[in-house]
Amino acid sequence: RAACAAAIHAAWQPLLAAGARPDTTRRALEHLLVLAQVALAVPADTDPERLRGWARALRDTGRIPRVAPTGASADELLGVAVEQSLLPRSLRHRVAPLAPLAVRTALGCALAGYAALALGVGRPYWALVTAASLYQANVTLTWSRAVQRVVGNLVGVLVFAALAPLPHLHPAALVLVSLALNFGAEALIGRNYWLGSVCVTPMALLITEFARSQDAADLITDRVVDTLIGALVGFAAAVAVTNRRAGARLDHALTAAERAREHAARLLAEPHPEPRALESARRTLAAALVELRATADAAAGEWWQRALPEERVVLTEQAGHRTLAATVRRQGLVPRDRDADPGRTPDGDRDQDSQDSGRTTEDIRP
């Protein structure tokens, strides 16, 4: 559910970007997103095969599936104007969480480059590039990327050793092999990083052959040494620069999500809430839940910090998703005669919250 909510929230951003020109294609995508929200709120009310068919159609190059909006005006989806009028977060608010990552990257790259120079490696920039490629949202993900980078580069070096004689046969062979490796890198890098590195590494080594013929043994030695230096020094920098504010940002994200849910629940408790206010509250709550999940994932992978309120995160997410489902039903996006759970109300959400409060994290974890 968290991944689906994040995907839907991310998909709305380019559609609601300031200055975006409305057209039939954009309108069709908005209708599909509305149906995706319905599927997230009421899974039992959806047709999986139809959703899979739309997903396959979106991946192709044909026409985007045209579907009728559910409970929304054919001229304008409710809340689009409100979303476009919302002020974006300040630059400081968006950049502040990136400060530890920026410090890690600058320190790790500098130290990796100096270490390679001190050891007399022929191409120290390879160590710098290796260090720069490691850094992710937290130390745990950085370690995972470091392992993938090292394994992919070492296997890629073996591939280069097998392909090294081909470019010396004819210049055309060098071009064709480079093109094949480039195609493999583009096809694999987005699916699996280390498999993509298996193609990127020999391609990078072969590119040096375009200027002049070089000794394959020297290239292999430099690449292996630079990879190990960059990975070790880069990860050491990530461990040295701790992100001690991750826990504080998680507390702020929890507070924001709880306040957004309370605001949406108050609107749901009204006999006739204003439609645009309800839609704005729903989008605010969805954004807060996405931010909460991203912040919790980032904080969970950091070391040397206080214990995280994992149970509170789980309870807040569950309550927030129930309130989101209630807002979708209240907006009429799900016909009541087809709703698998028509009795859910804001009061029911509060009753369920009181029951959840006495349960442990293990009891409620999916």
Side-chain angles (χ1 to χ4, degrees):
R1 291 184 64 89
C4 290
I8 292 173
H9 177 70
W12 273 116
Q13 302 313 304
L15 291 178
L16 301 176
R21 183 179 62 184
D23 54 28
T24 56
T25 298
R26 186 178 299 274
R27 192 63 51 80
L29 291 173
E30 291 172 354
H31 294 167
L32 288 172
L33 274 181
V34 170
L35 294 178
Q37 292 170 172
V38 173
L40 177 63
V42 192
D45 189 57
T46 59
D47 182 358
E49 290 303 323
R50 185 175 61 172
L51 295 177
R52 293 191 186 99
W54 289 338
R56 287 191 295 268
L58 286 173
R59 296 189 188 101
D60 295 334
T61 57
R63 290 175 57 84
I64 294 177
R66 262 46 177 190
V67 296
T70 305
S73 171
D75 296 329
E76 179 183 13
L77 291 180
L78 185 62
V80 169
V82 174
E83 184 75 9
Q84 289 176 325
S85 65
L86 292 177
L87 293 176
R89 295 190 303 171
S90 65
L91 180 62
R92 178 178 176 276
H93 184 76
R94 288 178 288 174
V95 172
L98 301 178
L101 181 61
V103 175
R104 288 171 177 171
T105 304
L107 181 63
C109 291
L111 293 179
Y114 283 126
L117 283 173
L119 293 176
V121 182
R123 294 169 176 80
Y125 60 88
W126 278 345
L128 190 149
V129 171
T130 297
S133 68
L134 303 183
Y135 299 108
Q136 303 297 303
N138 54 48
V139 173
T140 301
L141 294 178
T142 299
W143 166 253
S144 176
R145 177 57 62 90
V147 173
Q148 294 179 11
R149 177 78 180 192
V150 171
V151 172
N153 279 15
L154 294 182
V155 175
V157 166
L158 296 178
V159 174
F160 170 76
L163 298 177
L166 296 180
H168 298 284
L169 299 177
H170 193 277
L174 175 60
V175 175
L176 292 176
V177 172
S178 299
L179 288 175
L181 291 173
N182 182 70
F183 178 82
E186 293 291 344
L188 296 174
I189 197 70
R191 298 177 179 272
N192 190 294
Y193 183 79
W194 83 268
L195 282 178
S197 298
V198 171
C199 294
V200 172
T201 299
M203 181 178 66
L205 296 176
L206 286 174
I207 286 176
T208 62
E209 298 278 348
F210 280 89
R212 60 182 175 85
S213 179
Q214 303 193 46
D215 183 69
D218 290 342
L219 288 175
I220 291 174
T221 301
D222 288 346
R223 186 68 175 192
V224 171
V225 174
D226 282 331
T227 295
L228 295 177
I229 292 175
L232 292 175
V233 175
F235 182 72
V239 173
V241 180
T242 59
N243 186 5
R244 300 300 300 274
R245 299 188 62 184
R249 279 195 290 271
L250 179 58
D251 289 337
H252 292 321
L254 276 167
T255 301
E258 290 168 349
R259 289 178 177 174
R261 181 194 172 277
E262 291 171 358
H263 176 62
R266 283 196 299 269
L267 289 176
L268 288 171
E270 297 178 2
H272 303 287
E274 204 276 324
R276 290 186 180 276
L278 186 59
E279 174 66 8
S280 177
R282 185 185 63 78
R283 291 191 184 281
T284 301
L285 176 56
L289 289 174
V290 171
E291 181 71 16
L292 173 59
R293 175 42 46 194
T295 306
D297 289 342
E302 294 292 347
W303 73 291
W304 197 19
Q305 63 178 338
R306 60 185 174 82
L308 300 177
E310 296 182 1
E311 183 175 357
R312 183 184 171 195
V313 171
V314 173
L315 292 173
T316 300
E317 286 185 320
Q318 287 189 335
H321 285 304
R322 286 197 299 270
T323 303
L324 278 178
T327 58
V328 172
R329 296 186 183 96
R330 187 64 176 269
Q331 289 175 291
L333 298 179
V334 181
R336 196 164 182 81
D337 59 350
R338 295 174 57 196
D339 191 352
D341 186 13
R344 181 66 55 79
T345 63
D347 292 336
D349 288 342
R350 287 193 290 269
D351 292 340
Q352 185 65 35
D353 291 342
S354 63
Q355 295 175 17
D356 287 342
S357 62
R359 301 163 65 185
T360 64
T361 305
E362 296 300 326
D363 293 333
I364 61 178
R365 191 178 301 278

